Structure formats: C-alpha cells, structure tokens
C-alpha cells in the first residue's frame, strides 16, 4: 500500500523531493524488514525510477546502493552505465560489478569515469591493463597512486609509453619503492628525451650535443638503478635495455668501471647467450683468451677490448664494491688506471680514449663533490658540538 502511494505521489513531486524519497525507499529496501510483496513492489518502483528525468533521483539510488552487496543487481548495472554524475559512486565502490563490466566501461567512457574505476579498492590486473592501455593521464595517475591496484609489469611500461612525458606521472612512479627497475629506467629515458628536446628547442645546445648529454645521463641513471637491482628485477632490466638498444658497449664499460660486476655479468650473459654462472667463471678465470672470446661472443666492438681487459685487471687487484652506493658511480682510480693503460696502447682508437677521458672528468668531479659534502657535514657537526659544549 505504501509503495503504491509513493508511486502516485512522485508524479507531482519536485526533483529534490523525489530524490529524498527515492533515497529513503532505497534504504528501506536494504535495511527494513519488508514483506515479500512490499519488497517486490519497492524494487519495481526503484526500477521505474531509473527512467526519472532528473539525475538527482538516480544519483540518490547510486549513493545508497554503491557499497552494498545486497543491492538489486539490475539497478546497479543500469546505474553503472548512466551519465557520470550518477554512475561515479557505483563505479568506484560497487562490489557487484564484474571485471568484464569495468573493462568495457573503461574502453568507452571518459576520463572522469575512468578515474573513478581506477580508485576502486579492488582492482584486478585485467582492469588495470585496460586503464593503462586506453585510460587518460588522470586515470593513470589514480591507478599509480592506488595501493590496491594489481598492475602487471607490461601495464607499467604502457603507462610510461603513453604518459611518461608528464612530470606528475613520473614523480608518482619514481617514489614507489617496488617499481620494476626496467620501468624506472624507461621513465628516466623519457625524462632525458624530454629535456634534450627542450634545450634544442631553446637553442641552448645543438641536437647532437643534447643527445650525447642525454645519453650519458641515461647511462649514469641506469647504472645507479642497477646497483640496487637483483634477481628477476635485474633480468627484467637487462632485457629492457637490450630491447631498447641501450645495452651498449659504453654502458657495459661504465658498469665495469663502477665496479658493478652484477650488471656487467648480466649484460654479457644476455648478449652472449651463455648462462650467468658460465660468464662468471670465465671472468674469474682471469685468462685473457677466454675473456676476449667472451667479449667477442657478446658482440662488443674489438676496439673496446683493451679497456675491458685493463678494468678487469684492476678489479682483480683492488676487489669489488662493498655497497650499492659504491656500484652506482665511476671509481676514479680505476678509470684513471684504465685511461693510462689505453693511452699507452697505440692500437686503442680515439673514440675509446674520448669516452675514457669523459669518464675520468666525471669521476673526478663526483669525487670532489662528495669530498666537499663530507667537509660541510663535519663542519656542521663540529658547530653543533661547540654549541652543546657552550
């Protein structure tokens, strides 16, 4: 009886009154102890209200049913495909929507709707992949910041490809501790390319000069990222570097001159096709013939062999790095010894000498910077101790 009176009343009520009455009816359907007849009548009235011309009425239903497992499935489904102002709470919260529904909506809806789905507290890989593939930049940002999103590795890469040029995307991804090393390197590469294009457009550097500076910055960042990568993360990084033509002789030499044997061995294993254990044993063997054969099988230019040979000799004499921080930057004494050896070898080509001299300059500047930082820290500690003593 009450439902019939309700249906008769809403025909003349205003939109705001209809919305409040609809909200009350929806709550009654969820929590009141209605008879079977009243419950069926209430559901019928709610289904009828899906055709109400005012979005306020439909939004009232969406707000009530958004988080409920007991909501009428047909009504939730209809509300999910309504206009954004109505659908958002359902899309962000409803546990009744299946993955296929969400993927379909992501593919056909606008950015506001995609953002709502990206904020869901349960977001399976299939939906994450859909947002990464076709979602707006804002939706991708919501996805990155959603701790409950289960992003597959390829979805991270897709976000970098589509939106990596945006600072907000890069910053949100780079602060994630569990971000795959390959994705981190890809982000750095996008940043380097963006900066290179900017300085060329401003006529601050020539295109060739900007590309060289950007390439060196990418290599430094790659070695730094690799210094804290192990296991599958390192394997993924190496595979990415090879696929993007970044696994160059210059990068591998930089890794070795940083004492980063992990990256050096992984790179040679990837390029030569030999197991990592076999590469390691060949390098530890210290036999020149086996080492040269390994470098040749890896496809590295023979013009670089002298530098690799000299660097390995220095490493065997001085030992390996003790920490990730040490393996992230060029070791000045090693670079200078390798440069001296190559300068005395008349078979060494000019491009290799130029590269080693740039490495020597970089390592000297880095050492000087660290020295000054240590002095400043010691001075600050001394000043604080003086204040305490006074």
């Amino acid at each position: 009886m009450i439902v019939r009176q309700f249906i008769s009343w809403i025909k003349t009520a205003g939109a705001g009154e209809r919305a409040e009455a609809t909200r009350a009816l929806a709550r009654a359907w969820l929590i009141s102890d209605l008879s079977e007849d009243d419950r069926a009548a209430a559901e019928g009235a709610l289904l009828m209200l899906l055709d109400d011309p005012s979005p306020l009425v439909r939004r009232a239903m969406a707000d009530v049913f958004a988080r409920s497992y007991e909501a009428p499935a047909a009504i939730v489904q209809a509300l999910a495909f309504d206009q954004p102002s109505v659908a958002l709470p359902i899309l962000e919260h409803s546990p009744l929507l299946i993955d296929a529904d969400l993927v379909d909506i992501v593919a056909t809806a606008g950015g506001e709707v995609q953002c709502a789905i990206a904020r869901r507290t349960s977001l399976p890989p299939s939906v994450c992949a859909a947002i990464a593939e076709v979602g707006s930049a804002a939706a991708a940002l919501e996805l990155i910041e959603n701790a409950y999103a289960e992003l597959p590795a390829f979805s991270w890469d897709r976000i970098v490809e589509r939106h990596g040029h945006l600072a907000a995307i890069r910053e949100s991804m780079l602060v994630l501790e569990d971000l795959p090393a390959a994705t981190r390197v890809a982000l750095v590469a996008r940043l380097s390319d963006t900066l290179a294009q900017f300085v060329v457009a401003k006529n601050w550097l020539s295109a060739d000069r900007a590309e060289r500076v950007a390439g060196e910055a990418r290599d430094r960042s790659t070695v730094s990222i690799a210094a804290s990568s192990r296991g599958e993360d390192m394997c993924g990084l190496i595979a990415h570097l090879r696929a993007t033509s970044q696994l160059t002789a210059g990068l591998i030499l930089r890794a070795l001159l940083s004492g980063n044997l992990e990256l050096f061995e992984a790179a040679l294993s990837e390029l030569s096709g030999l197991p990592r254990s076999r590469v390691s044993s060949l390098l530890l063997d210290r036999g020149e013939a086996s080492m040269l054969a390994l470098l040749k099988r890896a496809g590295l230019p023979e013009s670089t062999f002298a530098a690799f040979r000299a660097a390995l000799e220095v490493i065997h004499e001085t030992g390996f790095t003790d920490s990730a921080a040490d393996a992230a930057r060029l070791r000045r004494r090693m670079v200078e010894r390798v440069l001296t050896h190559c300068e005395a070898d008349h078979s060494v080509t000019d491009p290799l000498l130029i590269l080693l001299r740039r490495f020597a300059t970089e390592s000297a500047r880095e050492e000087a910077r660290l020295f000054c930082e240590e002095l400043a820290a010691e001075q600050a500690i001394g000043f604080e101790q003086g204040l305490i003593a006074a």
Side-chain angles (χ1 to χ4, degrees), residues 97-303:
L97 296 177
I98 64 174
D99 298 351
D101 289 334
L102 296 172
V103 169
D104 182 52
I105 294 170
V106 166
T108 57
E112 188 179 13
V113 166
Q114 292 171 345
C115 286
I117 294 175
R119 289 192 295 267
R120 290 175 66 88
T121 54
S122 178
L123 209 58
S126 59
V127 183
C128 292
I131 295 173
E133 185 65 32
V134 300
S136 65
L141 187 58
E142 294 281 7
L143 189 65
I144 294 166
E145 296 177 348
N146 186 347
Y148 303 99
E150 302 174 28
L151 270 82
F154 66 85
S155 292
W156 286 113
D157 296 337
R158 189 61 178 141
I159 290 174
V160 174
E161 290 174 12
R162 298 184 62 235
H163 307 299
H165 62 288
L166 300 174
I169 296 289
R170 291 195 304 268
E171 291 169 4
S172 294
M173 293 181 73
L174 289 173
V175 298
L176 299 175
E177 294 183 0
D178 58 347
L179 186 70
T183 304
R184 200 174 292 275
V185 166
L187 277 172
V188 170
R190 288 300 302 270
L191 175 59
S192 297
D193 291 341
T194 300
L195 292 176
Q197 293 170 12
F198 177 76
V199 298
V200 170
K202 292 290 186 178
N203 290 320
W204 292 344
L205 291 176
S206 65
D208 291 342
R209 171 76 172 171
E211 176 55 32
R212 198 193 80 183
V213 172
E216 291 176 350
R218 283 195 299 268
D219 286 353
R220 284 196 298 271
S221 298
T222 298
V223 173
S224 178
I225 292 168
S228 57
S229 303
R230 296 291 183 274
E232 290 298 320
D233 202 29
M234 175 64 80
C235 293
L237 172 60
I238 294 297
H240 169 79
L241 293 173
R242 187 177 191 183
T244 55
S245 302
Q246 295 182 70
L247 199 58
T248 62
L251 174 63
I252 298 172
L253 182 58
R254 175 186 284 274
L256 186 58
L257 292 175
S258 300
N260 192 334
L261 203 64
E262 185 86 9
L263 176 56
F264 179 64
E265 289 183 354
L268 291 183
S269 175
E270 173 72 21
L271 293 173
S272 66
L274 295 175
R276 177 75 179 275
S277 57
R278 178 59 177 160
V279 171
S280 181
S281 64
L282 288 173
L283 294 176
L284 290 174
D285 182 54
R286 301 186 65 172
E288 182 174 335
S290 59
M291 185 268 292
L292 293 178
L294 174 61
L295 296 177
K296 185 175 293 185
R297 176 164 179 157
L300 298 179
E302 292 189 19
S303 59

Side-chain angles (χ1 to χ4, degrees), residues 1-4 25 29 33-45:
M1 179 68 70
I2 294 175
V3 174
R4 281 195 287 270
L25 182 61
W29 195 93
D33 188 16
L34 300 174
S35 66
E36 288 188 13
D37 289 343
D38 286 342
R39 192 173 184 82
E43 183 174 352

Side-chain angles (χ1 to χ4, degrees), residues 350-367:
D350 288 341
L352 178 59
L353 291 176
I354 292 172
L355 178 63
L356 290 172
R357 286 171 185 146
R358 288 207 300 268
F359 284 169
T361 301
E362 179 185 327
S363 61
R365 294 176 65 177
E366 178 68 11
E367 187 174 284

Side-chain angles (χ1 to χ4, degrees), residues 15-16 18 51-59:
R18 297 201 308 275
D51 295 321
D52 193 285
S54 173
L56 294 176
V57 174
R58 305 194 303 279
R59 175 60 186 251

